[in-house]
Every structure is written in structure tokens, then in C-alpha cells.
């Protein structure tokens, strides 16, 4: 928009007074892309010079370009009250209305300006493109379809998330001595290959309402054994409504299936409600509530209802969130599978150059299980820590490579569930 503003400024230059005047310095700052500086020069003079079209135009232009659209509207309306045929002022007024989200008024003002012969052709062409964009917004926006494919290979120090101990004393069978742990009960390290992919899209059903959907899939294969090979799929469909203040309310249904070693392990269906508040500089704050019904194919005692809530802040380079909830088993005699949890996470992607960024994250979750575990005759509490560090290297448009390492540490009050895990891998990601 700096180029548009500069073009309009040039078109309106004859209306400015010449001489030793703050307008001269303000125009120079505006032309140099320093709208904030121009505003600082002009704003203190508004009480004395409001009503002068040259001054009000310069003030309005500086205000809209420095992120003060409401002030710009007031100043530019004063220009038009005196000079109703001032095309550049009307164009900037339209841009200010667009900045506060009043697309209808912006569209009407731009429509008037596009045919104004006092507007230079290059500037008129830019406004024509803006009008097309507003038309799409008024219609609810263009259809969207995006997707990705990620192929990764590496090493996993503990593919089955198991303890490194070889024997454990079970209180219920203490008279037999320590129980030996073998096979899947002991940690195993192996190389792995993983493929992830997804499609997501949305379409408008009204000016402020869109329906959306996505399909995600994940396949993970361990090259020496198959007992923890994984295949999962998630389907989501929902509706999102944008409020007048540009915050977004959404409600989605979701279904998931998870296979282990080619056999069904868990499936779930549920719903997610979310409120997203837009903040400055592209940041957002989201509040969500979730419910899932979990079904375990071969462990019906673990079937449960899961309720959760979270708050997440997302910025241009960082994110942070916290949440908690409850998972309740639906069958009698399985209280030890029910638990309450709280969690938190932080992360960042920090650009180093145009093609290189450092990625990192950390998360922690505390779980407190109900009742006593029937093998250990004691309650279970877990604290899990997850860390990750990696790079994103852009190879070409929509293609990047991701080397990364992760670490997980689960500290449990019951030795059988106490473990740590390292992974190191390199992934190639395609986006479209």
C-alpha cells in the first residue's frame, strides 16, 4: 500500500501549500515510507489546522498508513466536506474503511474513485484489484484448498515407549519375586520411516460463514519389527463464522481411527468448539472445548469419554498454550484407567535467513489416575516432558527439508510406565 499511497500523494501534490511548513517534512517522511514519523509531525497541529484540506489530507494519509484508520476517517471526511470531488482523499477514505473492516463502505467509496479522471492510471489499476478483492470478501471469500506431504526417516531409541528395566516387583505377586520383563515390555530401538499427508479446504456459504473440512493421514513403519507399526487417519468437518470484530467462532466434528500392526486399536468421534480472537500483527488467541468418545477395539475396559479445554496464543514466530481435562472410563471396575490432566506447551520458529529457520518446542503434561492399579496396588501419577529442536531449510517454493531431534521423558510413580525416548530424523516436506 506504500506504493499506492505514494502515487496518490504525487497526484494530490498541487493542493499542498509550499514553504517552511511541517507539511513539507511530513510529505518527505510519507514518501520515504515513514508514515509513523509523518503522523508524529502532524498530529500535534490538528487542533489549530483541522479544516485545511491540504493538512487534513496529509494527516489522514499518515494515519491510515501508520495503523490509525479511525483517525484517518475523521481527517479525510473533513477534506471531502470542503472538497467533495477530491478523488485522492476519497480513495484514502475507502482504504481507511477497509482497514477497520467496513468492506461495504470501502467498496462503495472505491467504486466512486475508480472512475475519477484525476486518479493516475497506475493507481486506478491498483484500486481495481482492491475492488475485486472486496467483492470476493463480500461474497464470503474465495474457495481454498491446501495440502502437504511429509516423508521422514530416522532413528527411534524406544519405539514402544517402554521401560528400560528388565524386571519389576509386582506387589500383587510379591511372593513370586520380581517379574521378568521381555519382548514388547522392554524398550527397543530401531530405524523408522514415516509418511504424513493431508488436504484441507473451505468454501463460503455466506458473507461471514464458511464450511471447512480436512483429511489427515499418518503411516509409521519400523524397519526391524512390526508390533508397533502405526497407521492413523483423521477426518474433520465444520463451520466457521466471522463476527463483526473479525473474531471467529467455529464448531467441528471429528472422527479418528488408529491401527497398530495392521489391526484396529482405537477409534474416536467427537466435537471441537473454538473461539479465536484476532490480535495485532497477525497474532491470535484461541479458546477451545473438546469432547471425544474413545473406543478401544481389544480393550473395552479402556473405553472412555474425554473432555478437554485449552487456551492457545499464536504469534508470527512463537506459540504458547495451556489446557486440561478429564478422561472417564465408561465401564465398572476400570477406574484406574480414568485420569485428570493438565498440560502446557511453548514453541517458536525463528527465521535465520530467507531460506533457513530454527524450530523448537517444549511441552509438559501431568496425569493423575483414579483408584489403584490392580498390579501395583497403588495409584498412578505421570509427568511427561517433550522437547524438540530442528531446522527448516527451504529448497524451493513449497519444498523444504526438516532435520530434527526429539526427546521424551515420562516419569511415573509406577516403574512399568517410567521411560525416556530419543528420536533423530530428516523429513522432506511438499506443500501446495
Amino acid at each position: 500500500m506504500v506504493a499506492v499511497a505514494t502515487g496518490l500523494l504525487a497526484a494530490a501534490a498541487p493542493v499542498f501549500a509550499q514553504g517552511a511548513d511541517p507539511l513539507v517534512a511530513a510529505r518527505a517522511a510519507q514518501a520515504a515510507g515513514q508514515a509513523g514519523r509523518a503522523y508524529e509531525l502532524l498530529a500535534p497541529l490538528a487542533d489549530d489546522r483541522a479544516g485545511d484540506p491540504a493538512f487534513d489530507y496529509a494527516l489522514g494519509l499518515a494515519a491510515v498508513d501508520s495503523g490509525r484508520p479511525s483517525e484517518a476517517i475523521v481527517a479525510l471526511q473533513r477534506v471531502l466536506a470542503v472538497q467533495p470531488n477530491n478523488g485522492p482523499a476519497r480513495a484514502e477514505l475507502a482504504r481507511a474503511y477497509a482497514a477497520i473492516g467496513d468492506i461495504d463502505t470501502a467498496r462503495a467509496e472505491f467504486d466512486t474513485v475508480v472512475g475519477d479522471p484525476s486518479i493516475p492510471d497506475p493507481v486506478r489499476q491498483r484500486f481495481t484489484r482492491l475492488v475485486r478483492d472486496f467483492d470476493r470478501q463480500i461474497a464470503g471469500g474465495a474457495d481454498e484448498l491446501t495440502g502437504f506431504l511429509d516423508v521422514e526417516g530416522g532413528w527411534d531409541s524406544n519405539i514402544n515407549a517402554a521401560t528400560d528395566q528388565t524386571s519389576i516387583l509386582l506387589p500383587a505377586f510379591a511372593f513370586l519375586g520380581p517379574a521378568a520383563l521381555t519382548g514388547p515390555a522392554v524398550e527397543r530401538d530401531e530405524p523408522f520411516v514415516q509418511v504424513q499427508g493431508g488436504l484441507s479446504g473451505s468454501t463460503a456459504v455466506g458473507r461471514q460463514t464458511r464450511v471447512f473440512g480436512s483429511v489427515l493421514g499418518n503411516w509409521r513403519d519400523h524397519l526391524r519389527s512390526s508390533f508397533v507399526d502405526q497407521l492413523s487417519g483423521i477426518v474433520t468437518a465444520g463451520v466457521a463464522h466471522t463476527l463483526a470484530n473479525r473474531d471467529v467462532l467455529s464448531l467441528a466434528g471429528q472422527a479418528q481411527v488408529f491401527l497398530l500392526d495392521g489391526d484396529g486399536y482405537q477409534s474416536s468421534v467427537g466435537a471441537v468448539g473454538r473461539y479465536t480472537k484476532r490480535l495485532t500483527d497477525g497474532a491470535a488467541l484461541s479458546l477451545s472445548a473438546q469432547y471425544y468418545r474413545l473406543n478401544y477395539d481389544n480393550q473395552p475396559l479402556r473405553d472412555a469419554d474425554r473432555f478437554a479445554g485449552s487456551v492457545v496464543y499464536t504469534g508470527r514466530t512463537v506459540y504458547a498454550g495451556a489446557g486440561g481435562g478429564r478422561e472417564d472410563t465408561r465401564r465398572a471396575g476400570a477406574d484406574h484407567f480414568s485420569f485428570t490432566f493438565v498440560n502446557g506447551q511453548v514453541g517458536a520458529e525463528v527465521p535465520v535467513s530467507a531460506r533457513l529457520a530454527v524450530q523448537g518446542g517444549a511441552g509438559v503434561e501431568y496425569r493423575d489416575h483414579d483408584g489403584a492399579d490392580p498390579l501395583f496396588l497403588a495409584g498412578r501419577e505421570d509427568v511427561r516432558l517433550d522437547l524438540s529442536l530442528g531446522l527448516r531449510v527451504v529448497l524451493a517454493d513449497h519444498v523444504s527439508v526438516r532435520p530434527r531431534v526429539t526427546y521424551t521423558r515420562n516419569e511415573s510413580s509406577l516403574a512399568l510406565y517410567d521411560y525416556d525416548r530419543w528420536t533423530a530424523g530428516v523429513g522432506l516436506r511438499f506443500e501446495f
Side-chain angles (χ1 to χ4, degrees):
M1 283 308 232
V2 172
V4 174
T6 302
L8 286 175
L9 192 60
V15 303
F16 290 116
Q18 302 298 318
D21 190 290
L23 282 176
V24 176
R27 288 200 303 268
Q30 187 78 37
Q34 300 173 354
R37 174 60 179 160
Y39 178 83
E40 291 172 359
L41 289 169
L42 298 174
L45 307 177
D47 289 344
D48 295 330
R49 302 193 60 171
D52 174 2
F55 174 83
D56 285 334
Y57 177 82
L59 177 61
L61 182 59
V64 72
D65 279 342
S66 63
R68 301 172 174 88
S70 296
E71 295 181 47
I73 290 173
V74 174
L76 293 166
Q77 284 177 335
R78 290 198 299 262
V79 176
L80 294 174
V82 178
Q83 299 176 343
N85 296 322
N86 188 323
R90 192 170 297 279
E92 294 303 336
L93 179 62
R95 193 155 64 92
Y97 276 121
I100 65 170
D102 188 348
I103 303 301
D104 288 299
T105 303
R107 173 66 174 81
E109 296 289 356
F110 271 125
D111 197 37
T112 301
V113 171
V114 166
D116 190 323
S118 68
I119 302 297
D121 284 340
V123 176
R124 185 184 296 108
Q125 292 171 8
R126 296 188 188 100
F127 285 155
T128 300
R129 289 195 293 270
L130 288 172
V131 168
R132 293 196 194 103
D133 290 340
F134 291 148
D135 286 342
R136 283 196 292 269
Q137 293 182 47
I138 290 172
D143 294 343
E144 297 179 351
L145 180 65
T146 60
F148 77 95
L149 178 66
D150 194 304
V151 181
E152 183 180 8
W155 188 268
D156 190 330
S157 73
N158 191 354
I159 64 172
N160 48 335
T163 180
D164 60 358
Q165 298 188 37
T166 58
S167 66
I168 289 180
L169 183 65
L170 301 175
F173 303 96
F175 63 93
L176 297 176
L181 299 178
T182 60
V186 179
E187 71 175 15
R188 182 179 300 185
D189 62 323
E190 288 191 20
F192 70 90
V193 174
Q194 181 169 271
V195 179
Q196 302 178 76
L199 284 173
S200 61
S202 67
T203 187
V205 294
R207 176 161 181 182
Q208 294 173 276
T209 306
R210 300 179 70 83
V211 294
F212 61 88
S214 66
V215 179
L216 300 174
N218 179 82
W219 171 72
R220 186 181 180 98
D221 182 75
H222 301 93
L223 302 185
R224 295 177 182 170
S225 57
S226 65
F227 72 102
V228 287
D229 287 352
Q230 302 166 19
L231 180 64
S232 65
I234 303 174
V235 177
T236 304
V239 60
H241 180 74
T242 302
L243 305 177
N245 63 356
R246 299 182 66 201
D247 292 352
V248 179
L249 279 170
S250 67
L251 179 64
Q254 192 171 87
Q256 179 176 1
V257 61
F258 182 81
L259 283 70
L260 201 61
D261 195 15
D263 295 324
Y265 180 76
Q266 183 200 79
S267 61
S268 66
V269 292
V272 180
R274 180 173 286 108
Y275 177 82
T276 301
K277 181 169 186 58
R278 297 178 186 270
L279 306 176
T280 58
D281 297 325
L285 187 68
S286 295
L287 303 174
S288 69
Q290 309 161 16
Y291 165 75
Y292 290 97
R293 182 160 187 145
L294 309 177
N295 296 296
Y296 291 81
D297 292 8
N298 299 310
Q299 302 178 69
L301 285 178
R302 295 187 63 182
D303 291 353
D305 294 308
R306 181 181 177 93
F307 304 86
S310 66
V311 54
V312 177
Y313 169 82
T314 305
R316 290 185 180 275
T317 60
V318 300
Y319 68 88
R326 173 81 183 164
E327 191 167 306
D328 272 316
T329 55
R330 300 196 301 271
R331 299 176 186 269
D335 286 348
H336 60 290
F337 288 126
S338 298
F339 59 87
T340 301
F341 65 92
V342 292
N343 55 43
Q345 55 278 324
V346 295
E349 179 175 306
V350 181
V352 176
S353 68
R355 292 185 173 272
L356 176 64
V358 177
Q359 300 174 321
V364 63
E365 180 169 282
Y366 168 75
R367 291 187 178 189
D368 184 11
H369 289 250
D370 295 358
D373 187 282
L375 291 178
F376 292 90
L377 305 179
R380 176 183 172 186
E381 293 183 60
D382 287 29
V383 177
R384 171 171 164 160
L385 173 67
D386 291 286
L387 303 173
S388 67
L389 181 64
L391 301 174
R392 183 172 66 88
V393 184
V394 177
L395 302 180
D397 289 347
H398 311 298
V399 181
S400 61
V401 63
R402 274 187 321 114
R404 64 171 180 166
V405 294
T406 70
Y407 174 71
T408 298
R409 171 65 176 148
N410 192 75
E411 292 192 4
S412 179
S413 59
L414 304 182
L416 184 63
Y417 308 108
D418 197 276
Y419 70 89
D420 60 6
R421 179 181 189 179
W422 287 93
T423 72
V426 178
L428 185 63
R429 186 179 181 93
F430 304 87
E431 298 177 341
F432 54 91

